[in-house]
Amino acid sequence: MLDVALKLVNEIDKRIQPIIGWENAGKTVKIGADGTPTKMIDIIAENIAINVLEKYGGILLSEEIGLKVLGDEINYIYILDPIDGTYNALKNIPVYSTSVGIIKIKEEDKKILKNKDIKFIEKYLYKNYSINDVYLGVVKSLATKDKEVFYAIKNKGAYLIKGDEKIKLSVSKVNELKKASVGLFVYGLSNELLDMLKDRLFRRIRLFGSISLEMCFVANKALDAYINLNESARLFDIAGSYIICKESNAKITDKNGKELNLPISISSKTSLIIANEELHKKLLPIFSNKWAIKPLSFGFVVREDSKEAINLAKDLINYLKSKNIPCYVKENIKNLINEEKINIKKISHIVAIGGDGTILRAARIANGEPIPIISINMGKLGFLAEFDKENAKEAINKVIKGDYEIERRIKLDTIINSKKLPSALNEVVIITKNPAKILHFEIYVNDTLVDDLRADGLIISTPTGSTAYSLSAGGPIVEPTNNNFIITPICPFKLNFRPLVLSCRNIIKVRLKSNKPALIAVDGIVEEEIKKDDIVMFKKSDEYTYFVKGKNFYEKLKNIFLN
């Protein structure tokens, strides 16, 4: 059927070109089967396709006509988008295409479907066929000079035909967000898109307006990823390019990480995240409202000096193993709990049982990877903990079922003389190396001098850390999901210097003016010594820490302060 699909896209290409720029091509003539306005150019392209496919027979699903039986034989299902990127075609913007995905109808179904009415066929296809039954896909660019054709046959690879060349396709190996070029399809400025633009999360963002081509650009390494957050990707748009991406080894899910299983229906729509396996893992937690991936295995980080915490960990591990879910443990408790050591590449979730110190260790183990932390309080305050020991098993069950939310927290990077320290979830503290000695700082925000400060030390805190050391030093409480940093002095010499809250998009620099050396502590761990005139730079990390959401933040505040 590849020759039929190629004939289809080539015929549309040949006959559609003369009407590009024609003033009536953009006239709205009706509302299509999918509920969107149909332009004259769409009708013309669809009729060209029908004339080609009637010779071969089958069932056509197309965005304008809906479902139509062609010819006498029902051997194939054709899922067609005659013009993907209609607006671009009308405005002569050179990014539009024709896309078709083809499914073989099972032998037993041919008899069932023959001579049946449209409503019966619609219901039958919806129940018995999905996008994963597409075995052949072809997408042709209708505007480029070489008229590239992308195609794939299930289990036989994906290819690009460009002139006389035939090139095997495979996805990009770029796995760092800052190096990734990403295609987007969005309606309106969503919060997610605004965050990406503000944070400069990716190397570049492209919005082309032709889903099928953009998916093929991922298969061809022209883009490192493609993201559709609006759940507006229709079956017509993606059926052909879906198999092309799959055969080029792309990972394709909806924005919540679920594998696509779109039923064959004119109403089928989805969100999309498409990239290589490693980049997909990093994209998923940025956009998903719920972490819907089935957990593969759990790593346990446990307060080792607490018998109660160790016993709870053993109980939870036995429970998970009864469900055939592997468990791993931090090496410091391996002699207490006989399980294999944590390997960051093997675990999907971390269970942290203890106080805030234990949870911070878990965050450091995750090291920016999209691994959610299930934080269970077995300490005293437990500001970072989302669950108590009484509802620990309930939290685990929700994770197993995929019925839970993720809360993403920003982190803070510290750079000293080009050396990057571990990222901080709570705070970075500059303190004197010699007790009872005051330090002298110059504080800059985006290279503007903010203050000349003498104090016992200085805290640069994230919103998560606003309720930790910063709070004790007189800093404000900030919601942990905010995008801010807090500069809090420790016992300042001048009483008029107050804690400063600023956007995390700012770059903070601190110059040590004292002759006395100072220490840099990241989340309570001393990492580096600095001396006079050293400059310490602070900026928002590219990494995040992810928590399985439990307690309400304000309820947590109320309970802790009342206690």
Side-chain angles (χ1 to χ4, degrees), residues 1-11 138 149 151 161:
M1 287 300 291
L2 177 59
D3 56 339
V4 175
L6 291 172
K7 182 177 181 180
L8 168 68
V9 298
N10 289 334
E11 190 68 15
V138 174
V149 176
Y151 81 90
I161 301 173

Side-chain angles (χ1 to χ4, degrees), residues 96-356:
Y96 52 96
S97 63
T98 291
S99 170
V100 62
I102 299 177
I103 296 174
K104 291 179 182 178
I105 295 178
K106 300 164 191 170
E107 286 297 325
E108 59 269 26
D109 291 337
K110 293 177 184 178
K111 296 177 183 178
I112 296 171
L113 294 171
K114 196 169 180 65
N115 299 322
K116 294 297 192 299
D117 62 31
I118 293 297
K119 288 187 177 180
F120 177 87
I121 294 173
E122 285 178 341
K123 290 180 180 177
Y124 195 86
L125 295 185
Y126 183 88
K127 290 181 179 179
N128 294 281
Y129 289 88
S130 79
I131 193 170
N132 290 303
D133 292 308
V134 174
Y135 88 100
L136 169 65
V138 174
V139 175
K140 182 171 186 180
S141 172
L142 302 180
T144 54
K145 181 181 177 181
D146 293 322
K147 299 294 179 68
E148 292 99 336
V149 176
F150 300 86
Y151 81 90
I153 300 173
K154 198 167 191 175
N155 299 324
K156 293 187 178 179
Y159 298 88
L160 167 63
I161 301 173
K162 188 174 182 179
D164 295 329
E165 287 186 278
K166 179 181 171 183
I167 304 163
K168 187 171 175 59
L169 300 178
S170 62
V171 293
S172 156
K173 294 182 179 179
V174 171
N175 59 16
E176 295 180 40
L177 297 179
K178 285 289 187 183
K179 294 182 179 179
S181 296
V182 175
L184 279 175
F185 190 90
V186 292
Y187 288 123
L189 289 173
S190 64
N191 290 333
E192 292 94 340
L193 179 56
L194 284 171
D195 283 345
M196 284 189 294
L197 295 175
K198 289 175 183 175
D199 296 345
R200 298 178 183 176
L201 191 62
F202 306 116
R203 182 182 178 191
R204 59 175 65 91
I205 296 174
R206 297 286 185 251
L207 293 87
F208 290 108
S210 174
I211 293 178
S212 60
L213 270 182
E214 289 169 275
M215 291 174 67
C216 289
F217 291 161
V218 176
N220 191 33
K221 298 188 182 75
L223 290 173
D224 301 305
Y226 175 75
I227 301 162
N228 181 317
L229 302 179
N230 299 98
E231 301 194 14
S232 58
R234 303 167 300 178
L235 179 68
F236 308 112
D237 299 321
I238 69 172
S241 46
Y242 175 77
I243 185 68
I244 294 169
C245 286
K246 293 286 279 188
E247 288 296 313
S248 64
N249 297 317
K251 175 79 172 177
I252 307 176
T253 69
D254 68 13
K255 69 178 183 180
N256 290 324
K258 292 183 179 178
E259 300 290 338
L260 299 193
N261 194 29
L262 285 177
I264 300 305
S265 167
I266 60 173
S267 61
S268 289
K269 295 180 182 179
T270 186
S271 55
L272 289 169
I273 296 181
I274 306 173
N276 65 57
E277 189 92 27
E278 288 299 312
L279 188 58
H280 189 281
K281 286 180 183 177
K282 295 179 180 179
L283 290 169
L284 186 62
I286 296 171
F287 301 110
S288 58
N289 294 321
K290 287 191 175 182
W291 201 284
I293 300 175
K294 184 179 179 181
L296 300 175
S297 59
F298 288 79
F300 279 76
V301 180
V302 185
R303 182 174 173 177
E304 59 188 295
D305 62 347
S306 169
K307 186 176 180 180
E308 191 178 13
I310 294 291
N311 287 338
L312 177 60
K314 289 179 179 178
D315 184 41
L316 292 176
I317 287 171
N318 288 335
Y319 179 69
L320 286 166
K321 289 174 73 173
S322 73
K323 294 182 174 292
N324 296 316
I325 299 174
C327 297
Y328 304 87
V329 297
K330 185 77 171 67
E331 56 267 25
N332 66 319
I333 60 165
K334 194 178 182 308
N335 61 325
L336 301 172
I337 302 174
N338 189 25
E339 299 292 336
E340 188 178 337
K341 288 195 300 185
I342 288 178
N343 181 333
I344 199 69
K345 294 182 178 180
K346 289 184 178 181
I347 59 174
S348 61
H349 296 74
I350 292 176
V351 181
I353 305 175
D356 286 351

